[in-house]
Amino acid sequence: MVDTDRVVGAAKDLGGRAQSAIGDAVGSSRTSAEGRYREAEGRAQEVYGQAKDTLRDVADNVSDYAGEAYDRGGSYVRDGARAVESRVEENPLIALVIAGAVGYGLALLLHGRR
């Protein structure tokens, strides 16, 4: 979707070019200067509209990428959970010892030695 600033800016640019050409043709420096001013103003507004369009496109792309990353992250967590589950089923005693050691280490970190 094209931003309205781009359309309005292009119209001002075109009008300014025409006005400055008419001013040059009739020898009116004031009309020519006003036309060049409108032309510059139109170009600036058109560039502003282009920047807004670009930012809108970037925001849309970032949103899409974030959604894809979220979906992939969920599949990684599910795959990891399945891997851990299968290891625990294969060696329940080792899993119990590891869980106990982790719990003891966390207790030491949280409560500290007194």
Side-chain angles (χ1 to χ4, degrees), residues 87-97:
R87 298 290 180 187
V88 169
E89 287 176 356
E90 290 173 8
N91 300 311
L93 184 60
I94 293 174
L96 184 63
V97 169

Side-chain angles (χ1 to χ4, degrees), residues 32-94:
S32 179
E34 286 175 358
R36 285 188 175 78
Y37 176 79
R38 273 181 72 192
E39 184 180 343
E41 185 180 37
R43 284 184 186 166
Q45 189 170 2
E46 188 175 359
V47 167
Y48 174 69
Q50 288 174 351
K52 285 175 28 180
D53 281 344
T54 301
L55 287 175
R56 190 176 301 117
D57 291 343
V58 167
D60 289 344
N61 289 340
V62 166
S63 174
D64 293 342
Y65 292 144
E68 289 175 16
Y70 178 78
D71 292 341
R72 286 188 196 136
S75 68
Y76 292 148
V77 169
R78 284 188 297 275
D79 292 344
R82 285 187 202 118
V84 169
E85 182 181 358
S86 69
R87 298 290 180 187
V88 169
E89 287 176 356
E90 290 173 8
N91 300 311
L93 184 60
I94 293 174

Side-chain angles (χ1 to χ4, degrees), residues 15-25 28 31-36 39:
R17 287 180 195 217
Q19 185 177 2
S20 66
I22 291 170
D24 290 341
S28 172
T31 304
S32 179
E34 286 175 358
R36 285 188 175 78
E39 184 180 343

